[in-house]
Coordinates of all heavy atoms in Angstrom, one line a residue:
M1 N -9.0 -1.6 -31.3 CA -8.2 -0.4 -31.1 C -6.8 -0.8 -30.8 O -6.5 -1.5 -29.8 CB -8.8 0.5 -30.0 CG -8.1 1.7 -29.7 SD -8.9 3.0 -28.7 CE -9.4 2.1 -27.3
D2 N -5.8 -0.4 -31.6 CA -4.4 -0.8 -31.4 C -3.8 0.3 -30.6 O -4.0 1.5 -30.7 CB -3.7 -0.9 -32.8 CG -4.2 -2.0 -33.6 OD1 -4.6 -3.0 -33.0 OD2 -4.1 -1.9 -34.8
P3 N -2.8 -0.1 -29.7 CA -2.1 0.8 -28.9 C -1.2 1.7 -29.8 O -0.6 1.3 -30.7 CB -1.3 0.0 -27.9 CG -1.2 -1.4 -28.6 CD -2.4 -1.5 -29.4
A4 N -1.0 3.0 -29.4 CA -0.1 3.9 -30.0 C 1.3 3.6 -29.6 O 2.2 3.8 -30.4 CB -0.5 5.3 -29.7
A5 N 1.5 3.1 -28.4 CA 2.8 2.8 -27.9 C 2.7 1.7 -26.8 O 1.7 1.7 -26.1 CB 3.5 4.0 -27.3
T6 N 3.8 1.0 -26.6 CA 3.8 -0.1 -25.6 C 5.1 -0.1 -24.9 O 6.2 0.0 -25.6 CB 3.5 -1.5 -26.2 OG1 2.3 -1.4 -27.0 CG2 3.5 -2.6 -25.2
W7 N 5.1 -0.2 -23.6 CA 6.4 -0.2 -22.8 C 6.3 -1.4 -21.8 O 5.2 -1.8 -21.4 CB 6.6 1.0 -22.0 CG 6.6 2.3 -22.8 CD1 7.7 2.8 -23.5 CD2 5.6 3.2 -23.0 NE1 7.4 4.0 -24.1 CE2 6.1 4.2 -23.8 CE3 4.2 3.2 -22.7 CZ2 5.3 5.3 -24.3 CZ3 3.4 4.3 -23.1 CH2 4.0 5.3 -23.9
R8 N 7.5 -1.9 -21.4 CA 7.6 -2.9 -20.3 C 8.6 -2.3 -19.4 O 9.5 -1.6 -19.8 CB 8.1 -4.2 -20.8 CG 7.1 -5.0 -21.6 CD 7.6 -6.4 -21.9 NE 6.7 -7.1 -22.7 CZ 5.6 -7.8 -22.3 NH1 5.4 -7.8 -21.0 NH2 4.9 -8.4 -23.1
D9 N 8.5 -2.7 -18.1 CA 9.5 -2.3 -17.2 C 10.7 -3.3 -17.3 O 10.6 -4.3 -18.0 CB 9.0 -2.3 -15.7 CG 8.7 -3.7 -15.2 OD1 8.0 -4.5 -15.9 OD2 9.2 -4.1 -14.1
R10 N 11.8 -2.9 -16.8 CA 13.0 -3.7 -17.0 C 12.9 -5.1 -16.5 O 13.5 -6.1 -17.0 CB 14.2 -3.0 -16.3 CG 14.6 -1.8 -17.0 CD 15.9 -1.2 -16.5 NE 16.2 0.0 -17.2 CZ 16.9 1.0 -16.8 NH1 17.4 0.9 -15.5 NH2 17.2 2.0 -17.5
N11 N 12.1 -5.3 -15.4 CA 11.9 -6.7 -14.9 C 10.8 -7.4 -15.5 O 10.5 -8.6 -15.2 CB 11.6 -6.6 -13.4 CG 12.8 -6.0 -12.6 OD1 14.0 -6.2 -13.0 ND2 12.5 -5.2 -11.6
H12 N 10.2 -6.8 -16.5 CA 9.0 -7.4 -17.2 C 7.9 -7.9 -16.3 O 7.3 -8.9 -16.6 CB 9.5 -8.6 -18.1 CG 10.4 -8.1 -19.3 ND1 10.0 -8.2 -20.6 CD2 11.6 -7.5 -19.3 CE1 10.9 -7.7 -21.3 NE2 11.9 -7.3 -20.6
R13 N 7.6 -7.1 -15.3 CA 6.5 -7.4 -14.4 C 5.3 -6.6 -14.9 O 4.2 -7.0 -14.5 CB 6.8 -7.0 -13.0 CG 7.9 -7.8 -12.3 CD 8.2 -7.4 -10.9 NE 7.0 -7.4 -10.2 CZ 6.8 -6.5 -9.1 NH1 7.8 -5.7 -8.8 NH2 5.7 -6.5 -8.5
W14 N 5.5 -5.5 -15.6 CA 4.4 -4.7 -16.1 C 4.5 -4.4 -17.5 O 5.6 -4.2 -18.1 CB 4.4 -3.3 -15.3 CG 4.4 -3.5 -13.8 CD1 5.4 -3.4 -13.0 CD2 3.2 -3.8 -13.0 NE1 5.0 -3.6 -11.7 CE2 3.7 -3.8 -11.7 CE3 1.9 -4.0 -13.3 CZ2 2.8 -4.1 -10.6 CZ3 1.1 -4.2 -12.2 CH2 1.5 -4.3 -10.9
R15 N 3.3 -4.3 -18.2 CA 3.3 -3.9 -19.6 C 2.3 -2.7 -19.6 O 1.2 -2.8 -19.1 CB 2.8 -5.0 -20.5 CG 2.8 -4.6 -22.0 CD 2.6 -5.7 -22.9 NE 1.4 -6.5 -22.6 CZ 0.2 -6.4 -23.2 NH1 0.1 -5.5 -24.1 NH2 -0.8 -7.1 -22.8
I16 N 2.7 -1.6 -20.3 CA 1.9 -0.4 -20.3 C 1.6 -0.1 -21.8 O 2.5 0.0 -22.6 CB 2.6 0.8 -19.7 CG1 2.9 0.5 -18.2 CG2 1.7 2.0 -19.8 CD1 3.8 1.5 -17.5
E17 N 0.3 0.1 -22.1 CA 0.0 0.4 -23.5 C -0.7 1.8 -23.5 O -1.6 2.1 -22.6 CB -1.0 -0.6 -24.1 CG -0.4 -2.0 -24.2 CD -1.4 -3.0 -24.8 OE1 -2.6 -2.7 -24.9 OE2 -1.0 -4.1 -25.1
A18 N -0.4 2.6 -24.4 CA -1.0 4.0 -24.5 C -2.0 3.9 -25.7 O -1.6 3.4 -26.8 CB 0.1 5.0 -24.8
Y19 N -3.1 4.5 -25.5 CA -4.2 4.6 -26.5 C -4.6 6.0 -26.7 O -4.8 6.8 -25.8 CB -5.4 3.8 -26.1 CG -5.2 2.3 -26.1 CD1 -4.8 1.7 -25.0 CD2 -5.4 1.5 -27.2 CE1 -4.5 0.3 -24.9 CE2 -5.2 0.2 -27.2 CZ -4.7 -0.4 -26.1 OH -4.5 -1.8 -26.1
R20 N -4.7 6.4 -28.0 CA -5.2 7.7 -28.3 C -6.7 7.6 -28.6 O -7.1 7.2 -29.7 CB -4.4 8.3 -29.5 CG -3.0 8.7 -29.2 CD -2.4 9.4 -30.4 NE -1.0 9.7 -30.1 CZ 0.0 9.3 -30.9 NH1 -0.3 8.7 -32.0 NH2 1.2 9.5 -30.5
A21 N -7.5 7.9 -27.7 CA -8.9 8.0 -27.8 C -9.3 9.4 -27.8 O -8.4 10.3 -28.0 CB -9.6 7.2 -26.7
P22 N -10.5 9.8 -27.6 CA -10.8 11.2 -27.4 C -9.9 11.8 -26.3 O -9.6 13.0 -26.3 CB -12.2 11.3 -27.0 CG -12.8 10.0 -27.6 CD -11.7 9.0 -27.6
D23 N -9.5 11.0 -25.3 CA -8.5 11.4 -24.3 C -7.4 10.4 -24.4 O -7.4 9.4 -25.1 CB -9.1 11.5 -22.9 CG -9.8 10.2 -22.5 OD1 -9.9 9.3 -23.4 OD2 -10.3 10.1 -21.4
L24 N -6.3 10.7 -23.6 CA -5.2 9.8 -23.6 C -5.4 8.7 -22.5 O -5.7 9.1 -21.3 CB -3.9 10.5 -23.3 CG -2.6 9.8 -23.4 CD1 -2.4 9.1 -24.7 CD2 -1.4 10.7 -23.1
R25 N -5.4 7.5 -22.9 CA -5.7 6.4 -21.9 C -4.5 5.4 -21.9 O -3.8 5.2 -22.9 CB -6.9 5.6 -22.4 CG -8.1 6.4 -22.4 CD -9.3 5.7 -22.9 NE -10.4 6.6 -23.0 CZ -11.6 6.2 -23.3 NH1 -11.9 4.9 -23.5 NH2 -12.6 7.1 -23.4
F26 N -4.3 4.8 -20.7 CA -3.2 3.8 -20.6 C -3.8 2.6 -20.0 O -4.6 2.6 -19.1 CB -2.1 4.3 -19.6 CG -1.5 5.6 -20.1 CD1 -1.9 6.8 -19.7 CD2 -0.4 5.5 -21.0 CE1 -1.3 8.0 -20.2 CE2 0.3 6.6 -21.4 CZ -0.2 7.9 -21.0
A27 N -3.4 1.4 -20.6 CA -3.8 0.1 -20.0 C -2.6 -0.5 -19.4 O -1.5 -0.6 -20.1 CB -4.4 -0.8 -21.1
I28 N -2.7 -0.9 -18.2 CA -1.5 -1.5 -17.5 C -1.9 -3.0 -17.2 O -2.9 -3.3 -16.6 CB -1.2 -0.7 -16.2 CG1 -0.9 0.7 -16.5 CG2 -0.1 -1.4 -15.4 CD1 -0.5 1.6 -15.4
F29 N -1.0 -3.8 -17.6 CA -1.1 -5.3 -17.3 C 0.0 -5.8 -16.4 O 1.1 -5.5 -16.7 CB -1.0 -6.0 -18.7 CG -2.1 -5.7 -19.7 CD1 -1.9 -4.6 -20.6 CD2 -3.3 -6.4 -19.8 CE1 -2.8 -4.2 -21.5 CE2 -4.2 -6.0 -20.7 CZ -4.0 -4.9 -21.6
A30 N -0.4 -6.5 -15.4 CA 0.6 -7.2 -14.6 C 1.0 -8.5 -15.4 O 0.1 -9.2 -15.8 CB 0.1 -7.6 -13.2
T31 N 2.3 -8.8 -15.6 CA 2.7 -9.9 -16.3 C 3.5 -10.9 -15.4 O 4.2 -10.5 -14.6 CB 3.6 -9.5 -17.6 OG1 4.7 -8.9 -17.1 CG2 2.8 -8.7 -18.5
N32 N 3.3 -12.2 -15.7 CA 4.0 -13.2 -14.9 C 4.2 -14.4 -15.9 O 3.4 -15.2 -16.0 CB 3.1 -13.6 -13.7 CG 3.8 -14.7 -12.9 OD1 5.0 -14.9 -13.0 ND2 3.1 -15.3 -11.9
G33 N 5.4 -14.4 -16.5 CA 5.7 -15.4 -17.5 C 4.8 -15.3 -18.7 O 4.8 -14.3 -19.4
T34 N 3.9 -16.3 -18.9 CA 3.1 -16.3 -20.1 C 1.7 -15.7 -19.8 O 0.9 -15.7 -20.7 CB 3.0 -17.7 -20.6 OG1 2.4 -18.5 -19.6 CG2 4.3 -18.2 -21.1
T35 N 1.4 -15.4 -18.5 CA 0.0 -14.9 -18.2 C 0.0 -13.4 -17.9 O 1.0 -12.8 -17.6 CB -0.5 -15.6 -17.0 OG1 0.3 -15.4 -15.9 CG2 -0.6 -17.1 -17.2
E36 N -1.1 -12.8 -18.2 CA -1.3 -11.4 -17.9 C -2.6 -11.1 -17.2 O -3.6 -11.9 -17.3 CB -1.3 -10.6 -19.2 CG 0.0 -10.5 -19.9 CD -0.1 -9.5 -21.1 OE1 -1.2 -9.2 -21.5 OE2 1.0 -9.2 -21.5
S37 N -2.6 -10.1 -16.4 CA -3.8 -9.7 -15.7 C -4.8 -9.0 -16.6 O -4.5 -8.6 -17.7 CB -3.5 -8.8 -14.5 OG -3.1 -7.5 -15.0
A38 N -6.0 -8.8 -16.1 CA -6.9 -7.9 -16.8 C -6.3 -6.5 -16.8 O -5.6 -6.1 -15.8 CB -8.3 -7.9 -16.2
P39 N -6.6 -5.6 -17.7 CA -6.0 -4.3 -17.7 C -6.6 -3.4 -16.6 O -7.8 -3.4 -16.3 CB -6.4 -3.7 -19.1 CG -7.6 -4.4 -19.5 CD -7.5 -5.8 -18.9
L40 N -5.7 -2.6 -16.1 CA -6.1 -1.5 -15.2 C -6.0 -0.2 -16.1 O -5.0 0.1 -16.7 CB -5.0 -1.3 -14.1 CG -5.1 0.0 -13.3 CD1 -6.4 0.0 -12.5 CD2 -3.9 0.1 -12.4
W41 N -7.2 0.5 -16.3 CA -7.2 1.6 -17.1 C -7.0 2.9 -16.4 O -7.6 3.1 -15.3 CB -8.6 1.7 -17.8 CG -8.8 0.6 -18.8 CD1 -9.4 -0.6 -18.7 CD2 -8.3 0.7 -20.2 NE1 -9.3 -1.3 -19.9 CE2 -8.7 -0.5 -20.8 CE3 -7.6 1.6 -20.9 CZ2 -8.3 -0.8 -22.1 CZ3 -7.3 1.3 -22.2 CH2 -7.7 0.1 -22.8
L42 N -6.1 3.7 -16.9 CA -5.7 5.0 -16.3 C -6.1 6.0 -17.4 O -5.8 5.8 -18.6 CB -4.3 5.1 -16.0 CG -3.8 4.0 -14.9 CD1 -2.3 4.2 -14.8 CD2 -4.5 4.2 -13.6
F43 N -6.6 7.2 -16.9 CA -7.0 8.2 -17.9 C -6.1 9.4 -17.6 O -6.2 10.1 -16.6 CB -8.5 8.5 -17.7 CG -9.4 7.4 -18.0 CD1 -9.8 6.6 -17.0 CD2 -9.7 7.0 -19.3 CE1 -10.6 5.5 -17.2 CE2 -10.5 5.9 -19.6 CZ -10.9 5.1 -18.5
G44 N -5.2 9.7 -18.6 CA -4.4 10.9 -18.5 C -3.0 10.7 -18.0 O -2.7 9.7 -17.3
M45 N -2.1 11.6 -18.3 CA -0.7 11.5 -17.8 C -0.6 11.6 -16.3 O 0.3 11.0 -15.7 CB 0.1 12.6 -18.5 CG 0.4 12.4 -20.0 SD 1.4 11.0 -20.3 CE 2.9 11.5 -19.6
A46 N -1.4 12.4 -15.7 CA -1.4 12.5 -14.2 C -1.6 11.2 -13.5 O -1.0 10.8 -12.5 CB -2.3 13.6 -13.7
A47 N -2.6 10.5 -14.0 CA -2.9 9.1 -13.4 C -1.7 8.2 -13.6 O -1.4 7.4 -12.7 CB -4.2 8.6 -14.0
L48 N -1.1 8.2 -14.8 CA 0.0 7.3 -15.1 C 1.2 7.7 -14.2 O 1.9 6.9 -13.6 CB 0.5 7.4 -16.5 CG 1.7 6.6 -16.9 CD1 1.4 5.1 -16.7 CD2 2.1 6.9 -18.3
A49 N 1.4 9.0 -14.0 CA 2.5 9.5 -13.1 C 2.3 9.0 -11.7 O 3.2 8.5 -11.0 CB 2.6 11.0 -13.2
R50 N 1.1 9.1 -11.2 CA 0.8 8.6 -9.8 C 1.0 7.1 -9.7 O 1.6 6.6 -8.7 CB -0.7 9.0 -9.4 CG -0.8 10.4 -9.0 CD -2.2 10.6 -8.4 NE -3.3 10.3 -9.3 CZ -3.9 11.1 -10.1 NH1 -3.4 12.3 -10.3 NH2 -4.9 10.7 -10.9
W51 N 0.6 6.4 -10.7 CA 0.7 4.9 -10.7 C 2.2 4.6 -10.7 O 2.7 3.7 -10.0 CB 0.0 4.3 -11.9 CG 0.1 2.8 -11.8 CD1 -0.8 2.0 -11.2 CD2 1.1 1.9 -12.4 NE1 -0.4 0.7 -11.4 CE2 0.7 0.6 -12.1 CE3 2.2 2.2 -13.1 CZ2 1.5 -0.5 -12.5 CZ3 3.0 1.1 -13.5 CH2 2.6 -0.2 -13.2
L52 N 3.0 5.2 -11.5 CA 4.5 4.9 -11.6 C 5.1 5.2 -10.2 O 6.0 4.5 -9.8 CB 5.1 5.8 -12.7 CG 4.8 5.3 -14.1 CD1 5.3 6.4 -15.1 CD2 5.4 4.0 -14.4
M53 N 4.7 6.4 -9.6 CA 5.3 6.7 -8.3 C 4.9 5.7 -7.2 O 5.8 5.3 -6.4 CB 4.8 8.1 -7.8 CG 5.5 9.2 -8.5 SD 5.2 10.9 -7.9 CE 3.9 10.7 -6.8
T54 N 3.7 5.2 -7.2 CA 3.3 4.2 -6.2 C 4.0 2.9 -6.4 O 4.1 2.1 -5.4 CB 1.8 4.0 -6.2 OG1 1.3 3.5 -7.4 CG2 1.0 5.3 -5.8
H55 N 4.5 2.6 -7.6 CA 5.2 1.3 -7.9 C 6.7 1.5 -8.0 O 7.4 0.6 -8.4 CB 4.6 0.7 -9.1 CG 3.3 0.1 -8.9 ND1 2.1 0.9 -9.0 CD2 2.8 -1.1 -8.6 CE1 1.1 0.1 -8.7 NE2 1.5 -1.1 -8.5
S56 N 7.1 2.7 -7.5 CA 8.6 3.0 -7.5 C 9.2 2.8 -8.9 O 10.3 2.3 -9.0 CB 9.3 2.2 -6.4 OG 8.8 2.5 -5.2
L57 N 8.6 3.2 -9.9 CA 9.1 3.1 -11.3 C 9.3 4.5 -11.8 O 8.6 5.5 -11.5 CB 8.1 2.4 -12.2 CG 7.9 0.9 -11.9 CD1 6.8 0.4 -12.8 CD2 9.2 0.1 -12.2
S58 N 10.3 4.7 -12.6 CA 10.6 6.0 -13.3 C 10.5 5.8 -14.8 O 10.5 4.6 -15.3 CB 11.9 6.6 -12.9 OG 12.9 5.8 -13.5
L59 N 10.4 6.8 -15.6 CA 10.4 6.7 -17.0 C 11.6 6.0 -17.5 O 11.6 5.3 -18.5 CB 10.2 8.0 -17.7 CG 8.8 8.7 -17.4 CD1 8.8 10.1 -18.1 CD2 7.7 7.8 -17.9
G60 N 12.7 6.1 -16.8 CA 14.0 5.5 -17.2 C 13.9 4.0 -17.1 O 14.7 3.2 -17.6
D61 N 13.0 3.5 -16.2 CA 12.8 2.0 -16.0 C 12.0 1.4 -17.1 O 11.9 0.1 -17.1 CB 12.1 1.8 -14.7 CG 13.0 2.2 -13.5 OD1 14.2 2.2 -13.6 OD2 12.4 2.5 -12.4
L62 N 11.4 2.1 -18.0 CA 10.6 1.6 -19.1 C 11.3 1.4 -20.4 O 12.2 2.2 -20.7 CB 9.4 2.5 -19.3 CG 8.5 2.7 -18.1 CD1 7.4 3.7 -18.5 CD2 7.9 1.4 -17.6
E63 N 11.1 0.2 -21.0 CA 11.7 -0.1 -22.3 C 10.6 -0.1 -23.3 O 9.5 -0.7 -23.1 CB 12.4 -1.4 -22.2 CG 13.4 -1.6 -21.2 CD 13.9 -3.0 -21.0 OE1 13.2 -3.9 -21.4 OE2 15.0 -3.2 -20.4
S64 N 10.9 0.3 -24.5 CA 9.9 0.3 -25.6 C 9.7 -1.2 -26.0 O 10.7 -1.9 -26.1 CB 10.4 1.1 -26.8 OG 9.4 1.1 -27.8
D65 N 8.5 -1.6 -26.2 CA 8.2 -3.0 -26.5 C 8.0 -3.2 -28.0 O 7.6 -2.4 -28.7 CB 6.9 -3.4 -25.8 CG 6.8 -4.9 -25.7 OD1 7.8 -5.6 -25.8 OD2 5.6 -5.4 -25.6

């Protein structure tokens, strides 16, 4: 399953991929140079909004990948 969209934060610490499944899903990867973490799966826009708030990120901090 290919992501519908991919974003990175300005500091390139996080990569967010959006997937259109029967519901909207987001996979969040912590990035550190050439390595990445296992994905954290979030289901729906509300879950993504909460995650962004807890990490002090706004939509303006994200760049299209």
Side-chain angles (χ1 to χ4, degrees):
M1 179 166 56
D2 292 331
T6 304
W7 301 277
R8 288 190 184 275
D9 69 310
R10 289 185 180 156
N11 297 326
H12 291 247
R13 292 181 52 211
W14 304 100
R15 183 168 54 95
I16 302 170
E17 296 180 350
Y19 291 90
R20 289 189 185 126
D23 55 355
L24 186 58
R25 298 176 185 188
F26 298 93
I28 299 179
F29 300 87
T31 59
N32 182 10
T34 59
T35 61
E36 289 188 344
S37 69
L40 167 68
W41 287 97
L42 301 175
F43 299 96
M45 289 295 292
L48 178 63
R50 282 191 302 272
W51 185 88
L52 289 170
M53 282 188 351
T54 59
H55 288 81
S56 301
L57 294 171
S58 69
L59 293 178
D61 294 332
L62 300 178
E63 302 170 340
S64 186
D65 197 26

